[in-house]
Amino acid sequence: MHHYLIKTGNRDWDAPNFRVIYARDTLTASDPDALLHQRLGQVRGLLRKNQPYSSYGSGAPKRSAGGRRSEFEANQAALQRRFAQLSSQLSVLQRESQRDTQDRQHVIPLAQVVNVCYPNAMSAPQKVAHTLHQIWHFVSDSPADGESDSGTFLAIFGTVLMVLLMSVVGSVPFGVIAAIWLHEYASRAPV
């Protein structure tokens, strides 16, 4: 059993930032339906747990081939009904997972998806490069649609500009005036 921690990064509504997925097989980044396969695996596990196959062990009475076939078909039909029931429950749960605490449904259009990455498929140097790229994006990004989409570049630039302006406009004239006063008008006596 493999344990995956997948970052969904959806902060637009009250969904977890990370989701945990358990899978028997290793999921790869090239598998676009990984979540579907994982959910179907859970459904199959529930089917096996809740609807066990009939035993043909040594304690069971001998049956003819036709009896086994009809029993197999009956088990298959029961499993199909159980699978349909669990599939409907899964679709209800998936619809509910798209709602927030105020029972509003949130759908994120593909045009609003800014970046998709697969951190589990990255090597260590790729993760470092991705992290540095995200830091640079955070620092250097300028506002696109509003303040929430902007980085810290404008704040840093404004702070540096204000410090330089105040030092040139405020400190230099006061320093020159103080130097002239001390040199020309102040007495030579100590204090």
Side-chain angles (χ1 to χ4, degrees):
M1 182 68 74
H2 296 280
H3 173 260
Y4 295 98
L5 183 64
I6 296 178
K7 179 171 177 50
T8 56
N10 187 358
R11 295 187 182 100
D12 288 340
W13 52 293
D14 295 330
N17 207 16
F18 290 89
R19 295 190 189 269
V20 178
I21 292 181
Y22 297 99
R24 284 197 171 78
D25 298 324
T26 303
L27 300 178
T28 61
S30 63
D31 189 2
D33 297 326
L35 187 60
L36 177 66
H37 294 307
Q38 184 263 339
R39 295 286 188 228
L40 288 176
Q42 287 179 347
V43 169
R44 287 187 196 109
L46 286 172
L47 286 175
R48 278 192 223 111
K49 184 175 80 174
N50 293 331
Q51 194 76 5
Y53 293 105
S54 298
S55 61
Y56 295 112
S58 60
K62 300 281 182 181
R63 293 185 175 89
S64 65
R68 287 184 183 168
R69 179 174 293 262
S70 64
E71 185 176 341
F72 174 76
E73 289 171 356
N75 285 340
Q76 186 177 14
L79 288 174
Q80 290 292 342
R81 285 191 303 274
R82 181 69 178 150
F83 178 76
Q85 179 186 11
L86 290 175
S87 294
S88 65
Q89 287 177 358
L90 179 62
S91 65
V92 167
L93 290 174
Q94 286 174 340
R95 279 193 305 273
E96 288 176 2
S97 72
Q98 293 179 349
R99 297 188 177 275
D100 64 2
T101 56
Q102 286 81 29
D103 199 32
R104 294 178 300 199
Q105 185 172 3
H106 294 274
V107 177
I108 300 173
L110 189 59
Q112 288 185 359
V113 176
V114 177
N115 187 9
V116 176
C117 66
Y118 300 99
N120 290 341
M122 291 182 182
S123 65
Q126 289 173 330
K127 288 180 182 179
V128 169
H130 179 72
T131 302
L132 293 175
H133 173 73
Q134 291 296 338
I135 290 171
W136 177 249
H137 179 70
F138 173 71
V139 170
S140 67
D141 194 22
S142 61
D145 293 333
E147 289 184 25
S148 63
D149 294 337
S150 63
T152 59
F153 175 72
L154 293 179
I156 293 171
F157 180 76
T159 302
V160 170
L161 185 65
M162 289 302 292
V163 167
L164 290 176
L165 281 175
M166 290 309 291
S167 65
V168 169
V169 173
S171 302
V172 172
F174 287 124
V176 170
I177 291 171
I180 291 172
W181 184 79
L182 286 172
H183 188 269
E184 297 294 328
Y185 300 109
S187 66
R188 301 276 180 207
V191 184

